[in-house]
Amino acid sequence: MRLRNLSRVLHLLADDGPLSRAEVAARTGLTRAAISSLVDELLRAGLVVESSRDRSGSVGRPGTALEPADRGPCGIGAEIGVDQLAVCAMDLRGGVRLRLDSPMTAGDTRPGRVLAALAELLEELVGRCEGLGLRPAGVTVAVPGLVARDSTTVVRAPNLGWEGVDPAPLLPTGHGPLRVENEANLGAVAERAASPAGTGRDLLYVSAGIGIGAAVLVDGELLRGARGFAGELGHVPVAPDGPPCRCGSTGCAETLAGEEAVLRAAGTDPGEGPRAPLLEAVRARCEGGDERALAAVERAGRALGVALSAAVNLLDPAEVVIGGPLARLGHRLLPALEHEVGLRTAVAGHDRPAPPLRLSRLGPDGPLLGAARTAVRGVLDDPGRARDT
Amino acid sequence: MRLRNLSRVLHLLADDGPLSRAEVAARTGLTRAAISSLVDELLRAGLVVESSRDRSGSVGRPGTALEPADRGPCGIGAEIGVDQLAVCAMDLRGGVRLRLDSPMTAGDTRPGRVLAALAELLEELVGRCEGLGLRPAGVTVAVPGLVARDSTTVVRAPNLGWEGVDPAPLLPTGHGPLRVENEANLGAVAERAASPAGTGRDLLYVSAGIGIGAAVLVDGELLRGARGFAGELGHVPVAPDGPPCRCGSTGCAETLAGEEAVLRAAGTDPGEGPRAPLLEAVRARCEGGDERALAAVERAGRALGVALSAAVNLLDPAEVVIGGPLARLGHRLLPALEHEVGLRTAVAGHDRPAPPLRLSRLGPDGPLLGAARTAVRGVLDDPGRARDT
């Protein structure tokens, strides 16, 4: 019970701090005496510090407000992309303190090679954390694939060519609990954290890139599905007799709206290198009125819009957020998405309109930030472990 | 706290009774003394009775086991269908004690007329309850349409021609809380109750008839959506350039797999009367090898299978259950459904197969039974009110 209350106080300060002891007591419903004792323990453990800031960020009376420490335990986020790796360290206040990126050599996504490179990048990050007084207390890895529920095993990541890969044994140990999670799920976690207070708890987050994944937040929690495979928006059939998909089906959303399909339709060879500059070029051609580029983006928007219509009909989210690399084409994509969803969701045209669509506030960084935030949340959930290590 | 414990004991006896006081204590973790006092209160209120049955149904020592009363408060379920009305009374043990059905005059589904007929049917049922020692303590009405979250207002029921209809003011009062709920949601509730212990908590329930609705249970709870509109399987686009739908879109699942589409494709005029005999005739023609009937059912199965593939990709349910009038064609539909879902769900062909599809254990009665069960659950949740009325 005491550990649970320590966690409640820590979460409150992380979400809404700096707060005075009196404010913490009022918001938790615990007595001033209980709060005093809990706060003393968090101060001694170095998880919380006295702050001279108040909530508005201005300087108040010193020693009256509390906030999470920006030294001590931190969360490590990592992202395995098809053409890049990234890692970052986030302190308990939610601030990103360090970030390292590493491009991957074109086309070689064999698990041993990717995970060795990631291990190296993680060790470098951990080494640099020390200089900032940060101590890794949990690592979460974002992967573009399906992760079996309550495990670290990547069941299938077609765009990496992985099946049944467990990264855990190949990554460094001793930095707290290791989690492996679908990138769209983590993007949704980050999007929620970046949403204004009281919003972002019921959303459909779309991570559109080479693959198209999605994550669903219901009342702030991820909808995972019985096997952990919920959110496979990219394999929603949008043209059942359409082109073959690498999954074995035909006419999946990915075959028409994925990064490769967009590039090819625009007359660009996707090649083996980084895609961001290629997508940027398509965007620039659209701005310049290039008809082939415009038609390619329009076709992708219609296909993704049909898949989103299925999702809105089934899930009725409060909002739909488009993230991932394809969000670079965002303002070009949105009109087609809005048209299809407006047309195809059952109550459109009535007094309760289709949910709003918008671009992610975090651009392509969502999954990495969500990974770090998930690791931080592990510390806030279990301050006893962070204190004792 | 005491009321919550009364509710816990009552739920336990309803789910797993008859049980002895010692078994109730063991399963709730409360002391024997506390259980004794709670049970005494439930006995005095007439909500629980001493039973001479044990769990296997055989006769044990009298007075040792407890179960919910089969007299006193009961739940009333009602169903508004396009061509029929039905009401039933369910006791706290989950037994249906009375049921009344009434066909509706063809085609006239104006709210005033339908609700007047339903009010009359409800009053007749309530009158007959008295003779069985039952006292209505809640009414739940199943409707084939969208119900705004936390309200009794039917936002849209296209197959009744209703928009923005609140049935509450036109139905009898004084029989406990009135709830109005989407029929598929209630079908899922009933399906869960009819599932073997430990199963049925994560399912996609499909109610296929004139409209095609669905409901999603996640960890035993209904997924409602931000506006209460989740589960609109019938408007998932399965052929985006296909036939126009009454919703304003094109190629919705309903346009190819709804009751009317199946009948027309089989060469049968759907007419204005009851559809059950017409569907029965199509089924019989299939059994006899009639090619047109077989092709009509096959086409519906493929279209519904594409929509289900979208749902399985997005939701990853543990099982998919087909209910509603079209389930009459069930064994003819299942092969096409299984083929499409097997082909189009991302991890098909791997070691974690697509979720199993099966027909509802309750046939077309699911929504009515789920409505009555929801009303009963209202009593179990709040035994204080039932005791005091």
Side-chain angles (χ1 to χ4, degrees):
Chain A
M1 180 58 92
R2 183 169 176 85
L3 280 175
R4 207 163 72 189
N5 283 334
L6 285 171
S7 172
R8 274 176 74 192
V9 171
L10 199 50
H11 269 288
L12 181 61
L13 294 175
D15 290 346
D16 296 344
L19 295 173
S20 70
R21 286 170 177 77
E23 287 170 315
V24 173
R27 296 200 192 190
T28 56
L30 297 172
T31 65
R32 290 287 293 269
I35 292 301
S36 216
S37 155
L38 293 166
V39 164
D40 284 349
E41 184 167 345
L42 291 170
L43 286 166
R44 274 198 309 275
L47 297 171
V48 158
V49 294
E50 310 261 4
S51 165
S52 55
R53 295 191 306 147
D54 66 12
R55 237 167 310 162
S56 66
S58 61
V59 176
R61 277 184 298 145
T64 55
L66 301 161
E67 63 184 326
D70 62 355
R71 298 172 64 88
C74 68
I76 305 292
E79 184 181 10
I80 299 174
V82 173
D83 49 25
Q84 60 142 5
L85 298 173
V87 295
C88 74
M90 183 181 278
D91 65 29
L92 299 188
R93 292 179 195 172
V96 173
R97 304 291 296 283
L98 276 176
R99 175 177 170 152
L100 300 174
D101 290 83
S102 165
M104 297 217 294
T105 315
D108 187 354
T109 58
R110 283 170 297 171
R113 195 185 146 278
V114 169
L115 293 168
L118 182 61
E120 200 174 310
L121 206 60
L122 281 169
E123 292 293 17
E124 185 183 344
L125 185 83
V126 168
R128 293 207 203 170
C129 279
E130 210 173 319
L132 293 168
L134 293 171
R135 185 174 77 249
V139 179
T140 299
V141 181
V143 293
L146 300 173
V147 180
R149 198 164 173 162
D150 303 320
S151 88
T152 53
T153 297
V154 181
V155 175
R156 197 167 182 227
N159 300 316
L160 292 173
W162 291 13
E163 288 197 22
V165 173
D166 182 359
L170 297 176
L171 294 179
T173 55
H175 306 310
L178 176 74
R179 295 176 182 85
V180 178
E181 179 71 270
N182 172 271
E183 50 141 21
N185 283 355
L186 295 172
V189 165
E191 197 67 34
R192 187 197 155 189
S195 292
T199 69
R201 294 179 59 83
D202 290 277
L203 57 80
L204 175 69
Y205 174 88
V206 179
S207 176
I210 295 178
I212 300 177
V216 184
L217 285 182
V218 177
D219 203 21
E221 296 297 322
L222 283 167
L223 180 81
R224 294 185 174 279
R227 297 168 298 177
F229 301 167
E232 281 287 279
L233 187 69
H235 298 284
V236 166
V238 300
D241 301 320
C245 180
R246 72 187 86 198
C247 78
S249 180
T250 52
C252 296
E254 266 179 36
T255 65
L256 295 166
E259 221 172 75
E260 277 193 28
V262 174
L263 291 174
R264 285 191 205 284
T268 301
D269 178 357
E272 299 287 353
R275 302 282 171 71
L278 304 180
L279 286 172
E280 198 48 51
V282 172
R283 197 191 58 74
R285 282 167 58 197
C286 287
E287 304 306 329
D290 178 309
E291 290 199 6
R292 189 160 181 194
L294 286 168
V297 174
E298 162 85 15
R299 187 183 79 145
R302 280 204 313 271
L304 186 55
V306 169
L308 284 179
S309 299
V312 169
N313 272 305
L314 290 166
L315 295 161
D316 187 25
E319 55 180 339
V320 178
V321 178
I322 311 294
L326 269 186
R328 286 174 205 278
L329 300 172
H331 291 290
R332 289 279 161 193
L333 278 174
L334 279 183
L337 298 182
E338 281 167 352
H339 173 77
E340 293 294 330
V341 172
L343 175 68
R344 299 185 187 284
T345 58
V347 289
H350 290 74
D351 58 339
R352 290 161 183 264
L357 277 81
R358 64 173 175 82
L359 299 180
S360 166
R361 297 190 168 89
L362 302 167
D365 289 343
L368 180 66
L369 294 175
R373 194 163 287 280
T374 299
V376 166
R377 192 168 160 173
V379 177
L380 305 179
D381 285 346
D382 190 1
R385 184 166 49 200
R387 178 194 56 194
D388 300 336
T389 53
Chain B
M1 180 59 92
R2 183 168 176 86
L3 279 175
R4 207 165 72 188
N5 283 333
L6 285 171
S7 172
R8 275 176 75 193
V9 171
L10 200 49
H11 268 288
L12 181 62
L13 294 174
D15 290 345
D16 297 343
L19 296 173
S20 70
R21 285 169 177 78
E23 287 170 317
V24 173
R27 295 201 191 189
T28 56
L30 297 171
T31 65
R32 290 288 293 271
I35 292 301
S36 214
S37 155
L38 293 166
V39 164
D40 283 349
E41 184 167 344
L42 292 169
L43 286 166
R44 273 197 310 275
L47 296 171
V48 157
V49 292
E50 310 260 3
S51 164
S52 55
R53 295 190 306 147
D54 66 13
R55 236 168 310 162
S56 65
S58 62
V59 176
R61 278 184 298 145
T64 56
L66 301 160
E67 63 184 325
D70 62 354
R71 299 172 63 87
C74 68
I76 305 293
E79 184 181 10
I80 299 175
V82 173
D83 50 23
Q84 60 140 5
L85 298 173
V87 295
C88 75
M90 182 182 278
D91 64 30
L92 298 189
R93 292 180 196 173
V96 173
R97 305 290 297 282
L98 275 174
R99 174 175 172 153
L100 300 173
D101 290 83
S102 166
M104 298 217 295
T105 315
D108 187 354
T109 57
R110 282 172 297 172
R113 195 186 145 277
V114 169
L115 293 168
L118 181 61
E120 200 175 309
L121 205 60
L122 280 169
E123 292 293 15
E124 185 182 343
L125 184 83
V126 168
R128 294 207 204 170
C129 279
E130 210 173 321
L132 293 167
L134 292 170
R135 186 174 78 249
V139 180
T140 300
V141 181
V143 294
L146 299 173
V147 180
R149 196 162 175 165
D150 302 321
S151 87
T152 54
T153 298
V154 182
V155 175
R156 197 167 182 224
N159 300 315
L160 294 172
W162 291 13
E163 288 197 21
V165 173
D166 182 359
L170 296 175
L171 295 178
T173 55
H175 307 309
L178 175 74
R179 295 176 183 85
V180 178
E181 178 70 271
N182 173 271
E183 50 142 21
N185 283 355
L186 295 172
V189 166
E191 197 66 34
R192 187 197 154 188
S195 292
T199 69
R201 294 179 60 84
D202 290 277
L203 57 80
L204 176 69
Y205 173 88
V206 179
S207 176
I210 295 178
I212 299 178
V216 184
L217 285 182
V218 177
D219 203 21
E221 296 297 321
L222 284 167
L223 179 81
R224 294 185 174 279
R227 298 168 298 178
F229 300 167
E232 282 286 278
L233 187 70
H235 298 284
V236 166
V238 300
D241 302 320
C245 179
R246 73 186 85 198
C247 77
S249 180
T250 51
C252 296
E254 266 179 37
T255 65
L256 295 166
E259 220 172 77
E260 277 192 31
V262 174
L263 291 173
R264 285 190 205 284
T268 301
D269 179 357
E272 299 287 353
R275 302 280 170 70
L278 302 180
L279 286 172
E280 198 48 51
V282 171
R283 197 191 58 74
R285 282 166 58 198
C286 287
E287 304 304 329
D290 177 309
E291 290 198 5
R292 188 161 181 192
L294 285 168
V297 174
E298 162 85 14
R299 186 183 79 145
R302 279 204 314 270
L304 186 55
V306 169
L308 284 179
S309 299
V312 169
N313 272 306
L314 290 166
L315 296 161
D316 186 25
E319 55 180 340
V320 178
V321 179
I322 312 294
L326 268 186
R328 285 173 206 280
L329 301 172
H331 291 291
R332 289 281 160 191
L333 278 174
L334 279 184
L337 298 181
E338 281 167 351
H339 173 76
E340 294 294 331
V341 172
L343 174 68
R344 298 185 187 282
T345 59
V347 287
H350 290 75
D351 59 337
R352 292 161 182 262
L357 278 82
R358 64 172 175 81
L359 299 179
S360 166
R361 296 189 168 90
L362 302 167
D365 289 343
L368 179 65
L369 295 175
R373 191 163 290 277
T374 298
V376 166
R377 191 168 161 174
V379 177
L380 304 179
D381 284 346
D382 190 2
R385 184 167 49 201
R387 177 195 58 193
D388 300 335
T389 54

Coordinates of all heavy atoms in Angstrom, one line a residue, chain B residues 12-13 20 28 56 61 77 104 125 131 147 151 156 172 175 181 200 204 229 253 270 280 282 320 333 339 350 369 380:
Chain B
L12 N -21.7 -13.4 -7.1 CA -21.0 -14.7 -7.0 C -22.0 -15.8 -7.0 O -21.9 -16.8 -7.7 CB -20.2 -14.7 -5.7 CG -19.4 -16.0 -5.5 CD1 -18.4 -16.3 -6.5 CD2 -18.7 -15.9 -4.1
L13 N -23.1 -15.6 -6.3 CA -24.1 -16.7 -6.2 C -24.8 -16.8 -7.6 O -25.2 -17.9 -8.0 CB -25.1 -16.4 -5.1 CG -24.6 -16.4 -3.7 CD1 -25.6 -16.0 -2.7 CD2 -24.1 -17.9 -3.4
S20 N -22.1 -22.8 -0.5 CA -22.3 -22.7 0.9 C -21.6 -21.4 1.4 O -20.9 -20.7 0.7 CB -21.5 -23.9 1.6 OG -20.1 -23.7 1.5
T28 N -14.6 -14.9 -1.7 CA -14.6 -13.4 -1.7 C -13.4 -12.9 -0.8 O -13.0 -11.7 -0.9 CB -15.9 -12.9 -1.0 OG1 -16.0 -13.5 0.3 CG2 -17.1 -13.1 -1.9
S56 N -23.9 -29.3 -8.5 CA -24.2 -30.3 -9.5 C -25.6 -30.4 -9.8 O -26.0 -31.1 -10.7 CB -23.6 -31.6 -9.2 OG -24.3 -32.2 -8.1
R61 N -27.6 -31.6 1.7 CA -28.2 -31.4 3.0 C -29.0 -30.1 2.9 O -28.5 -29.1 2.4 CB -27.2 -31.2 4.1 CG -26.7 -32.6 4.7 CD -25.7 -32.3 5.8 NE -24.5 -31.6 5.3 CZ -23.9 -30.8 6.1 NH1 -24.3 -30.4 7.3 NH2 -22.8 -30.2 5.6
G77 N -36.3 -7.9 -20.4 CA -35.6 -7.6 -21.6 C -36.7 -7.3 -22.7 O -37.7 -7.9 -22.7
M104 N -44.9 -7.4 -36.1 CA -45.3 -6.0 -36.4 C -45.9 -6.0 -37.8 O -45.5 -6.8 -38.7 CB -44.1 -5.1 -36.4 CG -43.5 -5.1 -35.0 SD -42.9 -3.5 -34.5 CE -41.6 -3.3 -35.7
L125 N -46.7 -8.4 -20.0 CA -45.7 -9.2 -19.3 C -45.6 -8.9 -17.8 O -45.6 -9.8 -17.0 CB -44.3 -8.9 -20.0 CG -43.1 -9.8 -19.5 CD1 -43.1 -11.1 -20.2 CD2 -41.8 -9.1 -19.6
G131 N -48.2 -13.1 -11.1 CA -48.6 -14.5 -10.8 C -47.5 -15.4 -10.5 O -47.7 -16.5 -9.9
V147 N -27.1 4.0 -30.4 CA -27.6 4.6 -29.2 C -26.5 5.5 -28.7 O -25.4 5.1 -28.5 CB -28.0 3.6 -28.2 CG1 -28.6 4.3 -26.9 CG2 -29.1 2.6 -28.7
S151 N -27.1 7.4 -22.7 CA -28.4 8.0 -22.9 C -29.4 6.9 -23.3 O -29.0 5.8 -23.5 CB -28.3 9.1 -24.0 OG -28.5 8.5 -25.3
R156 N -29.7 6.8 -34.6 CA -30.0 6.4 -36.0 C -30.3 4.9 -36.0 O -29.4 4.1 -35.6 CB -28.8 6.7 -36.8 CG -29.1 6.8 -38.3 CD -28.0 7.4 -39.1 NE -28.3 7.5 -40.5 CZ -27.4 7.2 -41.4 NH1 -26.2 6.8 -41.1 NH2 -27.8 7.3 -42.7
P172 N -43.7 2.3 -20.4 CA -44.2 2.4 -19.0 C -43.1 2.7 -18.0 O -42.0 2.2 -18.2 CB -44.8 1.0 -18.8 CG -44.3 0.1 -19.9 CD -43.9 1.0 -21.0
H175 N -41.0 0.4 -13.4 CA -40.5 -1.0 -13.4 C -38.9 -1.0 -13.3 O -38.3 -1.8 -13.8 CB -40.9 -1.7 -14.6 CG -42.4 -1.7 -14.8 ND1 -43.3 -2.0 -13.9 CD2 -43.1 -1.3 -15.9 CE1 -44.5 -1.9 -14.3 NE2 -44.5 -1.4 -15.5
E181 N -30.3 0.0 -25.6 CA -28.9 -0.4 -26.0 C -28.9 -1.1 -27.4 O -29.9 -1.7 -27.8 CB -28.5 -1.5 -24.9 CG -27.1 -2.1 -25.1 CD -26.0 -1.1 -24.9 OE1 -25.5 -0.5 -25.9 OE2 -25.5 -1.1 -23.7
G200 N -15.1 -16.4 -23.6 CA -16.2 -15.4 -24.0 C -15.9 -14.0 -23.6 O -16.7 -13.1 -23.7
L204 N -15.6 -10.9 -30.8 CA -16.3 -10.0 -31.7 C -17.6 -10.8 -32.1 O -17.6 -11.9 -32.6 CB -15.5 -9.9 -33.0 CG -16.2 -9.1 -34.1 CD1 -16.3 -7.6 -33.8 CD2 -15.4 -9.2 -35.4
F229 N -20.7 4.6 -30.8 CA -21.1 4.0 -32.1 C -20.1 2.9 -32.6 O -20.1 2.6 -33.8 CB -21.1 5.2 -33.1 CG -22.0 6.3 -32.8 CD1 -21.9 7.5 -33.6 CD2 -23.0 6.2 -31.9 CE1 -22.8 8.5 -33.3 CE2 -23.9 7.2 -31.7 CZ -23.8 8.4 -32.4
A253 N -20.5 -3.3 -46.4 CA -20.7 -4.7 -46.2 C -22.2 -5.0 -46.3 O -22.6 -6.1 -46.9 CB -20.2 -5.2 -44.9
P270 N -37.6 -9.5 -51.3 CA -37.6 -9.4 -49.8 C -39.0 -9.0 -49.2 O -39.3 -9.4 -48.1 CB -36.6 -8.4 -49.4 CG -35.8 -8.1 -50.7 CD -36.7 -8.5 -51.8
E280 N -35.1 -19.0 -44.7 CA -35.2 -20.5 -44.5 C -35.4 -21.2 -45.9 O -34.7 -22.2 -46.1 CB -36.5 -20.8 -43.6 CG -36.5 -22.2 -43.0 CD -35.2 -22.5 -42.3 OE1 -34.7 -21.7 -41.5 OE2 -34.6 -23.6 -42.6
V282 N -34.2 -20.0 -48.7 CA -32.9 -19.9 -49.4 C -32.0 -21.0 -48.9 O -31.3 -21.7 -49.6 CB -32.3 -18.5 -49.2 CG1 -30.8 -18.5 -49.7 CG2 -33.1 -17.4 -49.9
V320 N -14.6 -15.1 -33.1 CA -15.6 -14.3 -33.8 C -16.9 -15.2 -33.8 O -16.9 -16.4 -34.1 CB -15.2 -14.1 -35.3 CG1 -16.3 -13.3 -36.0 CG2 -13.9 -13.3 -35.3
L333 N -22.5 -20.1 -44.7 CA -21.7 -18.9 -44.7 C -20.3 -19.2 -44.2 O -19.3 -18.6 -44.7 CB -22.3 -17.9 -43.8 CG -23.4 -17.0 -44.3 CD1 -24.0 -16.1 -43.2 CD2 -23.0 -16.1 -45.5
H339 N -12.5 -18.7 -45.2 CA -11.5 -18.5 -46.3 C -11.0 -17.1 -46.3 O -9.8 -16.9 -46.4 CB -12.1 -18.9 -47.6 CG -11.2 -18.6 -48.8 ND1 -10.2 -19.4 -49.1 CD2 -11.2 -17.5 -49.7 CE1 -9.5 -18.8 -50.2 NE2 -10.2 -17.7 -50.5
H350 N 0.9 -18.5 -40.0 CA 1.9 -18.6 -39.1 C 1.5 -19.4 -37.9 O 0.4 -20.0 -37.9 CB 2.4 -17.2 -38.7 CG 3.1 -16.6 -39.9 ND1 2.5 -16.2 -41.0 CD2 4.5 -16.5 -40.2 CE1 3.3 -15.8 -41.9 NE2 4.5 -15.9 -41.4
L369 N -32.1 -12.0 -24.9 CA -31.5 -12.5 -23.7 C -30.5 -11.6 -23.0 O -30.5 -11.4 -21.8 CB -30.9 -13.9 -23.9 CG -31.9 -15.0 -24.4 CD1 -31.1 -16.2 -24.8 CD2 -32.9 -15.3 -23.3
L380 N -28.2 -7.0 -9.5 CA -27.1 -7.6 -8.8 C -26.0 -6.5 -8.4 O -25.4 -6.5 -7.4 CB -26.4 -8.6 -9.7 CG -27.2 -9.8 -10.2 CD1 -26.4 -10.7 -11.1 CD2 -27.9 -10.5 -9.1

